[in-house]
């Protein structure tokens, strides 16, 4: 079994999602990015023995319960390999959540970081395709979509997959962040 952890930004990026969905008929299938809500992953997906998943999910839920809503700066739409994505600024809270989840999964469950966790790039995937020309066409169509300056992280997602394939993930649970949780720095914006 594989788990995936993310911030739900689907409603806030509804126009970007619609634009990406409209590409499929003209460019062709092959992009599983839209099988889930648009999101900002906070840790690379990882395998876990099925019997350990319920305990880890409970610990993740408890951790998510300590986080209050925060802002994420949307930087730009970019092409990266076989992907068109919205790059996010890795603010303090995003980096802290990423580090905390890496520590929790490694310390408590022996799950090592994914190689991409080392230089993690926070982003929202809009389009994925194995054909470089399709990616170029998608980027040309999507790069001028207006983006909000900031997104609000107010809902965290836990997803799972039996196979680890991108088109096999589903949302298992969603946790609304509590505005009652007080950060150590109440004036922190990022």
């Amino acid at each position: 079994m594989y788990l995936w952890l993310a911030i739900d930004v689907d409603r806030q990026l509804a126009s970007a999602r619609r634009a990406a969905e409209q590409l499929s008929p003209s460019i062709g299938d092959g992009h599983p990015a839209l099988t889930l809500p648009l999101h900002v992953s906070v840790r690379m997906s990882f395998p876990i023995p099925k019997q350990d998943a319920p305990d880890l999910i409970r610990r993740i839920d408890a951790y998510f319960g300590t986080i209050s809503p925060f802002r994420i700066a949307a930087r730009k739409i970019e092409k990266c390999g076989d992907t068109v994505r919205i790059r996010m600024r890795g603010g303090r809270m995003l980096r802290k959540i990423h580090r905390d989840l890496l520590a929790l999964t490694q310390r408590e469950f022996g799950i090592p970081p994914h190689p991409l966790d080392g230089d993690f790039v926070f982003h929202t995937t809009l389009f994925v395709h194995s054909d470089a020309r399709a990616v170029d066409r998608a980027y040309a169509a999507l790069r001028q979509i207006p983006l909000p300056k900031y997104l609000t992280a107010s809902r965290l997602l836990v997803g799972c997959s039996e196979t680890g394939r991108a088109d096999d993930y589903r949302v298992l649970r969603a946790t609304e962040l509590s505005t009652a949780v007080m950060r150590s720095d109440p004036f922190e914006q990022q």
Side-chain angles (χ1 to χ4, degrees):
M1 165 178 244
Y2 291 78
L3 290 182
W4 155 82
L5 310 170
I7 298 167
D8 182 356
V9 293
D10 198 66
R11 284 189 210 132
Q12 298 172 78
L13 294 174
S15 62
R17 181 181 188 87
R18 279 192 302 276
E21 287 172 337
Q22 292 170 357
L23 289 177
S24 196
S26 63
I27 293 180
D29 292 333
H31 65 292
L34 302 177
T35 60
L36 292 167
L38 289 182
H39 61 274
V40 179
S41 292
V42 290
R43 190 202 190 286
M44 291 299 295
S45 61
F46 54 90
I48 182 167
K50 206 170 201 169
Q51 68 272 13
D52 292 341
D55 187 36
L56 175 56
I57 291 168
R58 278 192 292 279
R59 290 175 188 245
I60 290 167
D61 281 346
Y63 173 71
F64 282 175
T66 68
I67 301 169
S68 60
F70 61 95
R71 294 188 320 177
I72 301 169
R75 291 182 62 201
K76 63 180 178 177
I77 295 175
E78 64 183 11
K79 184 175 65 164
C80 181
D82 64 354
T83 303
V84 177
R85 65 190 188 183
I86 302 170
R87 187 178 194 129
M88 306 298 173
R89 182 173 165 265
R92 257 185 298 198
M93 279 303 293
L94 276 177
R95 289 191 310 273
K96 179 183 182 328
I97 292 167
H98 183 249
R99 282 190 312 270
D100 289 350
L101 290 171
L102 285 173
L104 171 71
T105 54
Q106 190 163 21
R107 181 183 64 243
E108 303 291 327
F109 296 88
I111 300 166
H114 186 282
L116 293 176
D117 277 316
D119 190 20
F120 200 73
V121 175
F122 296 100
H123 68 277
T124 297
T125 301
L126 295 175
F127 187 84
V128 177
H129 205 290
S130 59
D131 179 353
R133 290 174 301 192
V135 176
D136 289 342
R137 288 193 308 271
Y139 177 65
L142 297 172
R143 70 179 178 209
Q144 298 303 321
I145 294 171
L147 297 175
K149 186 173 181 176
Y150 293 101
L151 304 170
T152 300
S154 60
R155 186 175 167 189
L156 297 172
L157 305 172
V158 175
C160 70
S161 166
E162 293 301 318
T163 66
R165 286 190 339 260
D167 62 348
D168 186 45
Y169 278 88
R170 62 184 170 84
V171 174
L172 201 58
R173 63 184 346 97
T175 301
E176 300 296 327
L177 299 182
S178 172
T179 55
V181 174
M182 187 65 154
R183 285 193 281 254
S184 58
D185 177 2
F187 302 106
E188 178 179 276
Q189 292 298 308
Q190 291 290 338

